[in-house]
C-alpha cells in the first residue's frame, strides 16, 4: 500500500513537528550560501527566529529572478566536490538558472519519485516506458531514477519517434508510461494511423507530467489508452517531478510535506489564502542539501485542501494547477488562462487532440483566434455540421472567457507538433 | 591513483583464478536462460566442464543473430521483477536486440565507468559535461551513472545544440567532457564560428567514445581543445561503455578482466590469434546477473597485448579498434576499412573535420569517391593549391588502399552533420 508507511501516514501533529525541525535545519543550511547569508544578515534574521511554523512568515520570499541573480553558485551551500549533478534551464547567460544536487539529494529525489509511483499502484512487476526527454529536462532522469529504485523494468525510450514507442509497448509489454499530456493526445492519432488499439496492449497506468492539463484531457487519455492516468506535479527548482502526485482517489495531489513546507498566497497581497482558495504555491525545501530554497514562489496557481484523504495519507492535497501567475493573458481587459480554453475545448467530443491560441492586434483591438483540430470523423461530415460545431465552440468559449473569440476549425494533425512542451499561445499583439 | 587498487593491480595469476571462478558462476547462471539451457543441453555441456580457463573453448560462440533470435526474453536468467532496466537496439521487430540489467548490474556498470574515468585522472572536483544522447543509447546513461558515482558535478547536457554546450562549458567551468569523436571534430568549427578558443576554457580531459577513431583524430581533438583525450570502448551487449579504457599512458585500452573474459580470434578459422595479431574480440561477461553472455562475438577488430603497463594495472590492453568485421568494404576486390581512409585523411593538416565515402557502380566497376572537407584557410587559397592538395590526398589514399580513388574537395561544413554517429559510407553499388 505505502512505499514509506510511517512517513506517508504520519499523524498531522507529528508531521508539523517534523517540518519545524527540518525547517530550522534547512534555514541554518541555507544561510551558509552567499545569497541567503547576505540577505539574512541585512535583515537581521537567524535560524533561531524560527520557533513555530508560523514564524516562517518572517523570512523573505525567493523568486525566479533571485535565482537568476545568484547564477551560477550564489545558492550553493556545499563544496563543489560534494555536488554530483546540476540541472540548468536553457536561456542565454544572465537569464539562466541552475539547481545543484548532492548524492544524497539524488537519492532523496529518487525516493520521492518511487513513493509517488508506488502510491498509484506501480510495482516491481511493471514495465515502465519513460516517454520523456532525458538530459537537462528533469522529467526524464527524475522518473528514471525513481522507477529503477522502485524496481520497475525501465525502458528509457526518451521522447519522440512515436512508431518506435508503439513497438516498445508491444515487445516489452509496457504496463506503465510517463508522458507529457500534449504528446499523449498526439499519440492517440498515431495509434489510429498505425491501426493499433492501445487498449489491446498491456498498459494500465499513465503518469501525466510537465504540463498543466485539465480533467477532460485526463479522461481522454484514460479512455483512449485504457489506463488510469495520474497527475504529476513538480518543478526543476524543487528537484523536478516528485513534489506532489495523485493517489488512487484521483482527487487532488498529495504534496510531500516531509520534504516541502507548503504555503498558498495571494500573489498581489502576498498574504496566505484560506483552504480551497486559489493562490500561488510557495515552497520551502526541507531536506535538500546542496541548494535549499526558502519560500520559493513557484508562480503556479492552485488551492490546498486539509480534508482527510480516504487513502490514509496525511499529507495535504493541492488541486490541479490552474495555470501560472505569469501565463495569465489579459485580453480585452479580461484575465484569461490558456487552461480555461483547454478545459472548454476538451469537454467537446468533436474536438480533436490539438489546439492553439493566436492573439493579434487589429485596429488597436485584441483579437483572439482559437484554432481547433476537429476529429477525423467529424471533419469529413457536411459543412452544415461544421458550422454548427464552430458555433457551439464559440458559445462555450464565450461563456467561459466573457468575450467572443474567433474559432477556426482545422483538419486533424494540421497544427504543428511541438518538440517537448506544446506551444499553446502565439501572441503577435502590438504593445499598447 | 586507483579506484579499486586491489582489483586493478591484482597479480595476473590471481586474476586468472578470479576469472575462472566467475566464469563458472556465469555459465551456471547462463544455463538458466531459455536460450543457453536448450543449446547446452543439445550439446551436452554443463558448467562442470569448465576446470581451466582453456576449457572455455568447448563452449559455443554467441552472435548478434543469436540475440535477435532470442529477442526479447530468451537470454534472461532472472524473474522480470528483478530487472530494472533494458537497453534495446533500434531496428524493427524481429531484427531488434535487447539487453536487461538488474539493480546490481546497474551498480556494477556504474562502478566500471567510475573506474575508467578515475584512471584518467578525473576526480570529484571535476565538472563533467556529458555531451552524449541519453535514453536508449548506452553512452549517455553509462557515463552519467559512472560520473555521479565518482562524484563529479555532472552536467547532463545531452547531444547537439553546440552553442548551448559552449555556454555550459563557460558557465560551469567544465573540466571533463564525454563526446563522440565526429561531434568533437564538428565542435572545432563551432568554436571558430563563436570566436571562442576552447583552450581558454577549463577543459582538461575528453573521453572519446561510441565510434572507432584514429590516433590523428585524437591528436586533433587534443590540440584544438587543449585536453588529454582518452579512448573509450564498449558495446551495448556488454552494458555499454566501460569494457576497456585508456590509462594515462595512452598506449592501448585496459580491458577489465575481472568483469570480462577476453579472447581474440581469427574471424574465419575461429581459432585464437597470437598476442599483437589482429582478430575479432570475443567477450564473456563474468559478473552480469540478468543476462550473462558467453563468448559473444563483438565483430570488433583489435589485437591484445600482455606487456606490463607502467601504470601498474595488470589487466591486458587492447589496441584501438581497427574497424568491425562487418564494416569491411570489398572494393575492386580489395578489403578496405573506413578507418583506414580516416587515418590517411586525418594525417593531412589541410583536411577539415568531416569526410564521406561514396561507392557507386559505373559500367560494372566499383568507384570509390572520397568527399573531403578542406579547412577554411586552405579552401580560400588559389586553385593551384587545391589541385595540389587533391593530388596529395589521392596519392596518400592510393598507397593505403592500393587502388586510385576519386577525391573531391568540398567546403567546410558542406557534408551534412549526422545526428548521433556519423555516416561515413554511402554505398550505392549495384549487387553483382
Ligand atoms: Zn490520497
Ligand atoms: Zn596502463
Amino acid at each position: 500500500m505505502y512505499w514509506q508507511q510511517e512517513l506517508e501516514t504520519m499523524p498531522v501533529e507529528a508531521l508539523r513537528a517534523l517540518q519545524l525541525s527540518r525547517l530550522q535545519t534547512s534555514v541554518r543550511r541555507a544561510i551558509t550560501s552567499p545569497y541567503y547569508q547576505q540577505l539574512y544578515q541585512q535583515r537581521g534574521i537567524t535560524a533561531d527566529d524560527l520557533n513555530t511554523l508560523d514564524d516562517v512568515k518572517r523570512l523573505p520570499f525567493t523568486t525566479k529572478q533571485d535565482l537568476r541573480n545568484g547564477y551560477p553558485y550564489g545558492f550553493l551551500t556545499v563544496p563543489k566536490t560534494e555536488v554530483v549533478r546540476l540541472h540548468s534551464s536553457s536561456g542565454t547567460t544572465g537569464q539562466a538558472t541552475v539547481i545543484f544536487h548532492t548524492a544524497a539529494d539524488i537519492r532523496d529525489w529518487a525516493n520521492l519519485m518511487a513513493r509517488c509511483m508506488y502510491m498509484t499502484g506501480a510495482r516491481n512487476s511493471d514495465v515502465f516506458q519513460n516517454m520523456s526527454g532525458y538530459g537537462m529536462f528533469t522529467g526524464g532522469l527524475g522518473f528514471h531514477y525513481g522507477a529503477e529504485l522502485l524496481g520497475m523494468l525501465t525502458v528509457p525510450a526518451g521522447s519522440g519517434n512515436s512508431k518506435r514507442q508503439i513497438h516498445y509497448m508491444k515487445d516489452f509489454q509496457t504496463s506503465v508510461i510517463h508522458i507529457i499530456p500534449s504528446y499523449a493526445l498526439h499519440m492517440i492519432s498515431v495509434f489510429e494511423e498505425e491501426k493499433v488499439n492501445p487498449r489491446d496492449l498491456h498498459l494500465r497506468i499513465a503518469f501525466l507530467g510537465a504540463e498543466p492539463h485539465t480533467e477532460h484531457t485526463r479522461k481522454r487519455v484514460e479512455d483512449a489508452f485504457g489506463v488510469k492516468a495520474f497527475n504529476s506535479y513538480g518543478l526543476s527548482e524543487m528537484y523536478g517531478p516528485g513534489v506532489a502526485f495523485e493517489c488512487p482517489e484521483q482527487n487532488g495531489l498529495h504534496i510531500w510535506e516531509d520534504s516541502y513546507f507548503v504555503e498558498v498566497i495571494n500573489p498581489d497581497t502576498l498574504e496566505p489564502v484560506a483552504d480551497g482558495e486559489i493562490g500561488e504555491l510557495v515552497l520551502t525545501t526541507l531536506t535538500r542539501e546542496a541548494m535549499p530554497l526558502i519560500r520559493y514562489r513557484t508562480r503556479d496557481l492552485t488551492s490546498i485542501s486539509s480534508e482527510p484523504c480516504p487513502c490514509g495519507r496525511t499529507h495535504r492535497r493541492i488541486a490541479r494547477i490552474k495555470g501560472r501567475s505569469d501565463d495569465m493573458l489579459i485580453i480585452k481587459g479580461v484575465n484569461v488562462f490558456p487552461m480555461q480554453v483547454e478545459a472548454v475545448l476538451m469537454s467537446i467530443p468533436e474536438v480533436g487532440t490539438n489546439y492553439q491560441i493566436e492573439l493579434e492586434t487589429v485596429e488597436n483591438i485584441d483579437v483572439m483566434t482559437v484554432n481547433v483540430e476537429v476529429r477525423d470523423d467529424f471533419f469529413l461530415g457536411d459543412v452544415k455540421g461544421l458550422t454548427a460545431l464552430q458555433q457551439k465552440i464559440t458559445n462555450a468559449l464565450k461563456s467561459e472567457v466573457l468575450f467572443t473569440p474567433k474559432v477556426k476549425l482545422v483538419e486533424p494533425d494540421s497544427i504543428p507538433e511541438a518538440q517537448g512542451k506544446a506551444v499553446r499561445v502565439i501572441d503577435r499583439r502590438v504593445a499598447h
Side-chain angles (χ1 to χ4, degrees), chain A:
Chain A
M1 282 281 291
Y2 305 104
W3 179 251
Q4 295 173 289
Q5 179 157 10
E6 200 185 323
L7 281 168
E8 292 173 51
T9 63
M10 184 175 270
V12 172
E13 248 177 67
L15 186 55
R16 297 289 163 252
L18 179 68
Q19 284 192 306
L20 179 60
S21 118
R22 289 188 169 177
L23 181 67
Q24 287 160 339
T25 307
S26 201
V27 169
R28 209 163 275 131
R29 181 180 272 277
I31 294 179
T32 66
S33 74
Y35 175 84
Y36 284 116
Q37 187 165 51
Q38 196 192 11
L39 179 71
Y40 283 29
Q41 246 168 19
Q42 277 173 0
R43 309 255 179 128
I45 302 167
T46 73
D48 298 333
D49 295 331
L50 286 169
N51 298 308
T52 69
L53 285 176
D54 212 46
D55 292 335
V56 87
K57 293 196 189 107
R58 302 185 185 184
L59 307 177
F61 292 103
T62 307
T63 65
K64 184 95 170 173
Q65 190 55 48
D66 295 328
L67 293 188
R68 288 182 185 134
N69 296 343
Y71 180 87
Y73 297 120
F75 286 84
L76 192 60
T77 66
V78 297
K80 277 189 229 170
T81 49
E82 287 179 29
V83 182
V84 303
R85 173 104 62 90
L86 66 76
H87 282 275
S88 179
S89 69
S90 52
T92 51
T93 316
Q95 286 302 299
T97 57
V98 59
I99 307 290
F100 297 102
H101 307 289
T102 64
D105 290 336
I106 297 291
R107 283 194 298 272
D108 186 38
W109 182 12
N111 177 64
L112 287 174
M113 284 309 306
R115 186 197 283 180
C116 292
M117 292 189 277
Y118 195 89
M119 174 166 69
T120 66
R123 292 295 180 269
N124 67 1
S125 49
D126 278 302
V127 176
F128 172 68
Q129 191 163 325
N130 196 11
M131 300 168 68
S132 156
Y134 278 67
M136 280 299 182
F137 175 58
T138 54
L141 287 169
F143 272 89
H144 180 94
Y145 274 58
E148 282 192 0
L149 181 62
L150 198 159
M152 290 196 281
L153 199 181
T154 304
V155 182
S159 57
N161 208 332
S162 307
K163 287 180 193 176
R164 192 180 295 167
Q165 301 276 5
I166 296 173
H167 269 301
Y168 291 151
M169 288 178 187
K170 283 189 197 168
D171 289 2
F172 306 128
Q173 311 195 339
T174 300
S175 51
V176 180
I177 58 174
H178 168 220
I179 190 166
I180 292 180
S182 55
Y183 187 50
L185 294 175
H186 169 68
M187 279 291 291
I188 295 173
S189 36
V190 180
F191 273 113
E192 272 168 25
E193 280 161 32
E194 295 292 298
K195 301 198 188 344
V196 173
N197 183 349
R199 303 186 71 100
D200 295 341
L201 304 177
H202 293 75
L203 301 171
R204 60 185 204 93
I205 292 176
F207 304 129
L208 302 182
E211 288 171 349
H213 56 284
T214 63
E215 190 60 37
H216 284 288
T217 295
R218 183 230 295 275
K219 281 273 167 283
R220 280 213 170 179
V221 172
E222 289 192 330
D223 290 346
F225 286 73
V227 297
K228 276 279 228 180
F230 296 93
N231 194 346
S232 159
Y233 173 71
L235 62 164
S236 60
E237 296 91 327
M238 310 283 132
Y239 293 143
V243 174
F245 219 91
E246 280 183 326
C247 71
E249 302 293 326
Q250 291 187 315
N251 188 17
L253 294 80
H254 288 286
I255 187 159
W256 300 123
E257 298 191 79
D258 56 331
S259 283
Y260 299 101
F261 181 75
V262 181
E263 300 170 83
V264 182
I265 63 166
N266 177 317
D268 298 322
T269 66
L270 306 182
E271 289 301 314
V273 302
D275 261 33
E277 257 180 53
I278 289 177
E280 181 180 340
L281 187 67
V282 173
L283 296 174
T284 298
T285 64
L286 296 179
T287 50
R288 196 157 65 186
E289 288 186 346
M291 192 167 162
L293 290 180
I294 310 298
R295 302 192 88 195
Y296 183 72
R297 291 188 58 177
T298 66
R299 300 173 300 166
D300 287 319
L301 299 175
T302 185
S303 61
I304 198 157
S305 160
S306 308
E307 285 291 298
C309 183
C311 79
R313 289 175 186 82
T314 51
H315 301 242
R316 288 181 295 169
R317 282 170 293 159
I318 57 170
R320 210 169 256 295
I321 301 297
K322 308 292 177 204
R324 302 196 70 139
S325 53
D326 46 5
D327 272 356
M328 193 177 76
L329 302 166
I330 303 177
I331 305 171
K332 297 185 175 189
V334 178
N335 295 355
V336 177
F337 288 99
M339 286 291 287
Q340 289 178 281
V341 174
E342 176 164 332
V344 168
L345 294 179
M346 292 300 140
S347 69
I348 298 173
E350 295 92 334
V351 167
T353 53
N354 210 348
Y355 70 93
Q356 204 164 44
I357 300 168
E358 281 184 84
L359 299 169
E360 286 166 304
T361 309
V362 179
E363 293 174 0
N364 283 315
I365 293 171
D366 291 338
V367 176
M368 173 167 98
T369 307
V370 185
N371 297 303
V372 182
E373 284 187 6
V374 177
R375 287 197 177 183
D376 247 332
D377 35 349
F378 289 100
F379 201 81
L380 300 172
D382 61 321
V383 176
K384 220 162 152 188
L386 286 175
T387 310
L389 175 59
Q390 188 185 30
Q391 198 54 51
K392 176 173 162 187
I393 296 173
T394 307
N395 292 344
L397 284 172
K398 188 185 173 188
S399 66
E400 176 70 29
V401 301
L402 307 177
F403 61 86
T404 308
K406 277 195 190 177
V407 171
K408 264 194 204 165
L409 303 184
V410 300
E411 281 184 70
D413 292 324
S414 60
I415 296 175
E417 267 309 303
Q419 294 299 319
K421 294 193 189 192
V423 179
R424 295 306 198 192
V425 180
I426 297 175
D427 196 341
R428 296 202 197 83
R429 288 180 294 178
V430 185
H432 293 292

